[in-house]
Amino acid sequence: MSKLVNDFNAYRQKMNDKIIASDNLVIKRFFNLDTNTYQDGALSAKTKEMLGLVVSMVLRCDDCVKYHIQRSYELGLTKEELFEIFAVANIAGGSIVIPHTRKALEFWEELTA
Amino acid sequence: MSKLVNDFNAYRQKMNDKIIASDNLVIKRFFNLDTNTYQDGALSAKTKEMLGLVVSMVLRCDDCVKYHIQRSYELGLTKEELFEIFAVANIAGGSIVIPHTRKALEFWEELTA
Amino acid sequence: MSKLVNDFNAYRQKMNDKIIASDNLVIKRFFNLDTNTYQDGALSAKTKEMLGLVVSMVLRCDDCVKYHIQRSYELGLTKEELFEIFAVANIAGGSIVIPHTRKALEFWEELTA
Amino acid sequence: MSKLVNDFNAYRQKMNDKIIASDNLVIKRFFNLDTNTYQDGALSAKTKEMLGLVVSMVLRCDDCVKYHIQRSYELGLTKEELFEIFAVANIAGGSIVIPHTRKALEFWEELTA
Amino acid sequence: MSKLVNDFNAYRQKMNDKIIASDNLVIKRFFNLDTNTYQDGALSAKTKEMLGLVVSMVLRCDDCVKYHIQRSYELGLTKEELFEIFAVANIAGGSIVIPHTRKALEFWEELTA
Amino acid sequence: MSKLVNDFNAYRQKMNDKIIASDNLVIKRFFNLDTNTYQDGALSAKTKEMLGLVVSMVLRCDDCVKYHIQRSYELGLTKEELFEIFAVANIAGGSIVIPHTRKALEFWEELTA
């Protein structure tokens, strides 16, 4: 895998471990709940990851985008579908989403290379 | 249909007509593009409407929520699916999304009564 | 109590009950976690409610402001302290917070009348 | 003048007076500074009000929009210029700005009737 | 030109080319519309770029700020005018805009050196 | 002190000095007012810095977080209190606050090492 992808994952894992280790009960439960949110249910896990991705784009959270792009890709997201998510994010969120679209595509390219 | 739903739709239509009548080319094209965004493609129209709905919730735009709830419902969204969209919106966007969840559910109930 | 305060509380309770009744597990746990967040701990409940209030102001969520103003007041918040929270919210969040400051003060006045 | 315009101005004035009367020094200075920001300088007052208006739209603050529309109109803003501001706000801020565009146009129409 | 400016422009161009090459019609039209928005009209291109700049600052999009600073500078923006735009952005958007003001000034200095 | 902390402080100071040197009166007064906001009053300086910190987290301004973490630490904030602020920020602002929590903890660790 690419350095961009690896570095992101390593930093994310290292800091999440430290946050969990703090033993703040609210945060531990929230991290747990966050994971449970994207499980298969009435909507498939893939659909939920797409929801998580589009939300991350309009809220302009590059690290959240990276996480959900990986999960969506693992669950079968295609490049054509990715661009339709980009389209919704750009139209709903406006041109300020464009810089995040650039970074999202760069991450996707490294991930799928 | 309920007064809440009818009033929203009537006001929305009336003002959109006036905006379009202004003949500002950028805005006319943008409104047109906004409609095209949610057509069937690599992703189904229903999936795209769910993306539009979750985005509207985390961006806390009650009127956008009302619009996408109607479109999603026309395309077959169930109440169980609606709540899973609410779940993603609340976990990703936080407790500030709760008041918008209350209004979204109220609109859904009037719409589907 | 005032009509403004009563109406807010009644609508909030009614819709929260419906949301909980839906039996979406993620949302039920999130609502529960939200309540637990503001309990006494290393920081007092009053301090946490002040944190919740200032957050609600800069995120410009009027209903969240109403909720945290009530809780803060029950825990002993004074008007002078309230205005210092307003000051932080306005300086950090800018003049777009002013309209929400107007509504927050109106709610406080009705609550404490 | 219209009821919509009058009611907005009356409520705004009444609550601003109460906020100022609180004697919180930071808030008093901030309100004063806010007024000074939009004076003639290297940029004209009209240009600054247009900046204030477009900012209010993308930050989706309806009351701020109402205030800056009035000030801009007093300083000579035309309907054609208004719509070009709407265009920038919608393209930069996305379709979530549309509901605020509807309300802004309604307010403009009442103001200029 | 400076490395900061060149690197930004090169990355922006490279990724925009890839996004356009994807042939997603909505995104292609949106990019096109975004460019058209800032043309001379009832308001001058320079005024519109100033609108785009102030919006980018309050929405805290550093890359958007860089783009609009360059365009505004090409169209004759002076440093005194730039600071009046900063003033509107800081007062309307609050102290959270300060870090973006620092980066904006750094970019301006490199651009105009 | 750590390189992360030093670099942040040096860049912040250098650019703030340049901004102040511009002699834009609104900005100079706003910077001054921003400092005054966090002085002891009805609420202690420490409580106000905690308010500033939680606001910076939900508004997802990493540089603002770094500044308020330093000030809070100087005024006696403990790690347990820090995590309770993280908890409020994550629950109110949602999972998009998590990446900023990672960076905040990293900065705290370097600061207190």
Side-chain angles (χ1 to χ4, degrees):
Chain A
M1 255 191 227
S2 85
K3 181 168 163 37
L4 179 64
V5 176
N6 281 341
D7 284 359
F8 168 73
N9 287 336
Y11 178 77
R12 181 181 174 278
Q13 193 60 56
K14 181 183 74 172
M15 295 313 298
N16 278 9
D17 289 348
K18 290 188 182 203
I19 291 169
I20 296 297
S22 74
D23 257 340
N24 179 295
L25 204 58
V26 171
I27 289 186
K28 284 171 76 166
R29 285 188 183 158
F30 184 60
F31 273 51
N32 195 259
L33 196 50
D34 184 32
T35 304
N36 290 345
T37 303
Y38 299 94
Q39 306 299 310
D40 278 314
L43 297 172
S44 70
K46 185 190 164 191
T47 297
K48 288 180 179 178
E49 286 296 338
M50 291 194 291
L51 297 176
L53 178 52
V54 80
V55 158
S56 300
M57 292 203 64
V58 298
L59 293 177
R60 302 160 52 211
C61 175
D62 291 327
D63 283 0
C64 310
V65 166
K66 286 174 187 164
Y67 175 75
H68 288 293
I69 279 189
Q70 287 185 86
R71 291 286 300 131
S72 300
Y73 180 59
E74 290 164 12
L75 294 166
L77 190 78
T78 68
K79 191 173 178 182
E80 226 182 332
E81 291 169 333
L82 177 72
F83 270 84
E84 297 200 356
I85 294 171
F86 287 171
V88 172
N90 277 266
I91 294 302
S95 64
I96 51 158
V97 176
I98 294 178
H100 306 276
T101 306
R102 291 195 280 261
K103 287 182 188 165
L105 180 57
E106 181 183 34
F107 193 83
W108 170 269
E109 288 189 337
E110 301 240 353
L111 181 72
T112 62
Chain B
M1 253 190 228
S2 86
K3 182 167 162 35
L4 179 65
V5 176
N6 281 342
D7 284 359
F8 168 72
N9 287 335
Y11 178 77
R12 182 180 173 278
Q13 192 61 55
K14 181 183 75 171
M15 295 313 298
N16 278 8
D17 288 348
K18 291 189 182 203
I19 291 169
I20 296 297
S22 74
D23 257 341
N24 178 295
L25 204 57
V26 170
I27 289 184
K28 284 171 75 168
R29 285 188 183 158
F30 184 60
F31 273 52
N32 195 259
L33 196 50
D34 184 32
T35 304
N36 290 344
T37 303
Y38 299 93
Q39 306 300 310
D40 278 314
L43 298 172
S44 69
K46 185 190 164 190
T47 297
K48 287 180 179 176
E49 286 296 337
M50 291 193 293
L51 297 176
L53 178 52
V54 80
V55 158
S56 301
M57 292 202 66
V58 296
L59 293 176
R60 302 160 52 209
C61 174
D62 291 327
D63 284 359
C64 311
V65 166
K66 286 173 186 164
Y67 175 74
H68 288 294
I69 279 189
Q70 285 185 86
R71 290 286 301 129
S72 300
Y73 179 60
E74 290 164 12
L75 295 166
L77 190 77
T78 68
K79 191 172 177 182
E80 225 182 334
E81 291 170 333
L82 178 71
F83 270 84
E84 296 201 355
I85 295 171
F86 287 171
V88 172
N90 276 266
I91 294 302
S95 64
I96 52 157
V97 176
I98 294 177
H100 306 276
T101 306
R102 290 195 281 261
K103 287 182 188 168
L105 179 58
E106 182 184 35
F107 192 83
W108 169 270
E109 288 190 337
E110 301 240 353
L111 180 71
T112 61
Chain C
M1 254 190 227
S2 85
K3 183 168 162 34
L4 180 64
V5 176
N6 281 341
D7 284 359
F8 168 72
N9 287 336
Y11 178 77
R12 180 180 174 278
Q13 193 61 56
K14 181 184 74 172
M15 295 313 298
N16 278 8
D17 288 349
K18 290 189 182 203
I19 291 169
I20 296 298
S22 73
D23 258 341
N24 178 295
L25 204 58
V26 170
I27 289 185
K28 284 170 76 166
R29 285 188 182 155
F30 184 60
F31 273 52
N32 195 259
L33 196 51
D34 184 32
T35 304
N36 290 345
T37 304
Y38 300 93
Q39 306 300 309
D40 278 314
L43 298 172
S44 69
K46 186 191 164 189
T47 297
K48 288 180 179 177
E49 285 297 337
M50 292 193 293
L51 297 176
L53 178 52
V54 80
V55 158
S56 301
M57 292 202 66
V58 298
L59 293 177
R60 303 161 51 213
C61 174
D62 291 328
D63 283 0
C64 311
V65 166
K66 286 173 187 164
Y67 175 75
H68 288 294
I69 279 189
Q70 286 186 85
R71 291 286 301 130
S72 300
Y73 180 60
E74 290 163 12
L75 295 166
L77 190 78
T78 67
K79 192 174 176 181
E80 225 182 334
E81 291 169 333
L82 177 72
F83 269 84
E84 297 200 356
I85 294 171
F86 286 170
V88 171
N90 276 266
I91 294 302
S95 65
I96 51 158
V97 176
I98 294 178
H100 306 276
T101 306
R102 291 196 281 261
K103 287 182 189 166
L105 180 57
E106 182 183 36
F107 193 84
W108 170 269
E109 288 189 337
E110 301 241 352
L111 181 72
T112 62
Chain D
M1 257 190 224
S2 85
K3 182 166 161 38
L4 180 65
V5 176
N6 281 343
D7 284 358
F8 169 72
N9 287 335
Y11 177 77
R12 181 180 174 278
Q13 192 62 56
K14 182 183 74 173
M15 296 313 299
N16 278 8
D17 289 349
K18 290 189 183 201
I19 291 169
I20 296 297
S22 74
D23 258 341
N24 178 295
L25 204 57
V26 170
I27 288 185
K28 284 170 76 167
R29 285 187 183 158
F30 184 60
F31 272 52
N32 196 260
L33 196 51
D34 184 32
T35 304
N36 291 345
T37 304
Y38 299 93
Q39 306 299 310
D40 278 314
L43 297 172
S44 69
K46 185 190 164 190
T47 297
K48 288 180 180 178
E49 285 296 338
M50 291 193 293
L51 297 176
L53 178 51
V54 79
V55 158
S56 301
M57 292 201 66
V58 297
L59 292 176
R60 303 162 49 212
C61 174
D62 291 327
D63 284 359
C64 311
V65 166
K66 287 174 186 165
Y67 175 75
H68 287 294
I69 278 188
Q70 285 186 87
R71 291 287 300 131
S72 299
Y73 179 60
E74 290 164 12
L75 294 166
L77 190 78
T78 67
K79 191 173 176 182
E80 226 183 332
E81 291 169 333
L82 178 72
F83 270 83
E84 297 201 355
I85 294 170
F86 287 170
V88 172
N90 277 266
I91 295 302
S95 65
I96 52 158
V97 176
I98 294 178
H100 306 276
T101 306
R102 290 196 281 261
K103 287 182 187 166
L105 180 57
E106 181 183 36
F107 193 84
W108 170 270
E109 288 189 338
E110 300 240 354
L111 181 71
T112 62
Chain E
M1 257 192 225
S2 86
K3 181 167 163 34
L4 179 65
V5 176
N6 280 343
D7 284 359
F8 168 72
N9 287 336
Y11 178 77
R12 182 181 172 277
Q13 193 61 56
K14 181 184 73 172
M15 295 313 297
N16 278 8
D17 288 350
K18 290 189 182 204
I19 291 169
I20 296 298
S22 74
D23 257 340
N24 178 295
L25 204 57
V26 171
I27 289 186
K28 283 171 76 167
R29 284 188 184 158
F30 184 60
F31 273 52
N32 195 261
L33 196 50
D34 184 32
T35 304
N36 291 344
T37 303
Y38 299 93
Q39 306 300 309
D40 278 314
L43 297 172
S44 69
K46 185 189 164 191
T47 297
K48 287 180 179 177
E49 285 296 339
M50 292 194 292
L51 297 176
L53 178 53
V54 80
V55 158
S56 301
M57 291 202 67
V58 297
L59 293 176
R60 301 161 52 212
C61 174
D62 291 328
D63 284 359
C64 311
V65 166
K66 286 174 186 165
Y67 175 75
H68 287 294
I69 279 190
Q70 286 185 86
R71 290 287 300 131
S72 300
Y73 180 59
E74 290 164 12
L75 294 166
L77 190 78
T78 67
K79 191 172 176 182
E80 225 182 334
E81 291 169 332
L82 178 72
F83 270 83
E84 297 200 355
I85 294 170
F86 286 170
V88 172
N90 276 266
I91 295 302
S95 64
I96 51 158
V97 176
I98 294 178
H100 306 276
T101 307
R102 291 196 281 260
K103 287 182 188 166
L105 179 57
E106 181 183 37
F107 193 83
W108 169 271
E109 288 189 337
E110 300 241 353
L111 181 71
T112 61
Chain F
M1 255 191 228
S2 85
K3 181 166 164 34
L4 180 65
V5 176
N6 280 342
D7 284 358
F8 169 72
N9 287 336
Y11 177 77
R12 182 180 173 278
Q13 193 61 56
K14 182 184 73 172
M15 295 313 298
N16 277 9
D17 289 348
K18 290 189 183 202
I19 291 169
I20 296 297
S22 73
D23 257 341
N24 178 294
L25 204 56
V26 170
I27 288 184
K28 284 171 76 168
R29 284 187 183 159
F30 184 60
F31 273 51
N32 195 261
L33 196 51
D34 184 32
T35 304
N36 290 344
T37 304
Y38 299 93
Q39 306 299 309
D40 277 315
L43 298 172
S44 68
K46 185 189 164 190
T47 297
K48 288 181 178 177
E49 286 296 338
M50 291 193 294
L51 297 176
L53 178 52
V54 80
V55 158
S56 301
M57 291 202 66
V58 296
L59 293 176
R60 301 160 53 211
C61 173
D62 291 327
D63 283 0
C64 311
V65 167
K66 286 174 186 165
Y67 175 75
H68 288 294
I69 279 189
Q70 285 186 86
R71 291 287 299 130
S72 300
Y73 180 60
E74 290 164 12
L75 295 166
L77 190 78
T78 67
K79 191 173 176 181
E80 225 181 333
E81 291 169 333
L82 177 71
F83 270 83
E84 297 201 354
I85 295 171
F86 287 171
V88 172
N90 277 266
I91 294 302
S95 65
I96 51 159
V97 176
I98 294 177
H100 306 276
T101 306
R102 290 195 280 260
K103 287 182 188 167
L105 179 57
E106 181 183 35
F107 192 84
W108 170 270
E109 289 189 336
E110 301 240 352
L111 181 72
T112 62

